[in-house]
Amino acid sequence: MKHMILRGLAAAALLSPVAAQAQAYSCSAPQAPQRIRPDLPTDKQPRRVVPIGSYTLAITWSPQYCRDHGDGGSFQCGSANRFGFTLHGLWPDGKGATWPQYCRPTGLIPAAVVRRHICATPSAQLMQHEWAKHGTCMSGYSPARYFRQSNALYGRLRYPDMEALSRRELTAGGFAQAMARANPGLRADMMRVTATRDGWLDELWICLDTAFRYTRCPAHQGGVSPSSSLRIWRGGR
């Protein structure tokens, strides 16, 4: 049964009119489950167990993702689905520049978990990857708890008017400031903006402490310079 959701928002009843208008994207959950294959450590991405010192919540600007990948037949980029910011994942960080990953063996995530969160992270394979690489490093977490936690953090985010921002000269720092104004308690230095080589908005990384509260990003965290020019791809809109 088709249902409409507001992208990047937990419940429409909590939205301000401006936020709702800015992110009124739609998702119709697929009837058939997406195929999932195991996601395992490799020589380039080995198992690494180190203490957790903080977290990163990563969200992806979907119009740019679909532009870069050109996958018009996929659930995310094809059909009538329209996404704004989607949830990439919740990443445990280390206490320095090294982070934990693939901490324990795992099977495939349950189909019910995929169905519940597929309109936030519109790829079952990406969900498997996020759980296997990142979620398994969070002590006491199951796939259901991991995605519940990451979606709760994602769902509380509010967004500036992306349409308006896309039509003016903008810097990465200016975008971070716009996000901060839309989210009480979130400052520009608690975010890192990533962009393509051509300067188009790719992702936003939000820094969290071990209690999942917004915190200042460490100096080694990635992202472009706040003074870098930034453009926002609107897709077909």
Side-chain angles (χ1 to χ4, degrees):
M1 184 172 82
K2 289 189 175 183
H3 61 281
M4 305 297 285
I5 66 169
L6 295 175
R7 300 311 308 150
L9 304 168
L14 299 179
L15 300 180
S16 69
V18 172
Q21 184 179 16
Q23 291 298 112
Y25 302 125
S26 63
C27 170
S28 179
Q31 296 295 316
Q34 296 182 8
R35 283 182 143 185
I36 307 176
R37 63 184 184 277
D39 188 275
L40 304 171
T42 64
D43 290 341
K44 290 184 177 180
Q45 292 286 330
R47 178 176 183 264
R48 185 165 58 231
V49 180
V50 298
I52 296 173
S54 60
Y55 292 90
T56 296
L57 182 72
I59 58 174
T60 301
W61 181 237
S62 186
Q64 185 63 43
Y65 173 87
C66 292
R67 182 191 189 196
D68 290 342
H69 291 78
D71 189 4
S74 74
F75 169 64
Q76 180 172 355
C77 302
S79 185
N81 293 326
R82 295 176 63 206
F83 295 97
F85 277 104
T86 58
L87 173 61
H88 185 160
L90 177 63
W91 306 338
D93 297 315
K95 294 184 177 181
T98 301
W99 59 90
Q101 60 183 24
Y102 296 105
C103 292
R104 63 183 192 268
T106 184
L108 299 181
I109 56 178
V113 173
V114 174
R115 284 195 302 272
R116 191 170 298 118
H117 300 294
I118 194 66
C119 281
T121 302
S123 164
Q125 189 59 50
L126 177 58
M127 292 175 67
Q128 178 68 29
H129 171 75
E130 294 303 301
W131 162 248
K133 183 175 181 180
H134 304 292
T136 60
C137 297
M138 297 169 63
S139 178
Y141 276 70
S142 63
R145 184 182 177 190
Y146 172 72
F147 288 107
R148 214 167 35 240
Q149 179 66 63
S150 59
N151 275 264
L153 294 166
Y154 165 71
R156 77 182 184 185
L157 291 171
R158 301 294 180 260
Y159 302 94
D161 187 333
M162 299 296 289
E163 180 85 8
L165 287 176
S166 72
R167 297 181 184 278
R168 75 181 202 203
E169 290 189 8
L170 187 68
T171 63
F175 173 66
Q177 290 285 357
M179 277 293 296
R181 287 192 293 272
N183 292 272
L186 183 62
R187 302 194 313 264
D189 64 353
M190 297 171 169
M191 294 172 271
R192 291 289 185 263
V193 178
T194 73
T196 68
R197 291 182 179 179
D198 296 329
W200 294 92
L201 173 65
D202 177 26
E203 291 199 327
L204 184 70
W205 298 350
I206 299 169
C207 298
L208 308 165
D209 65 16
T210 54
F212 303 112
R213 297 170 301 201
Y214 299 137
T215 191
R216 185 176 182 179
C217 294
H220 63 262
Q221 188 87 314
V224 299
S225 166
S227 62
S228 298
S229 178
L230 186 73
R231 294 183 287 178
I232 298 174
W233 180 254
R234 295 188 303 275
R237 292 176 288 116

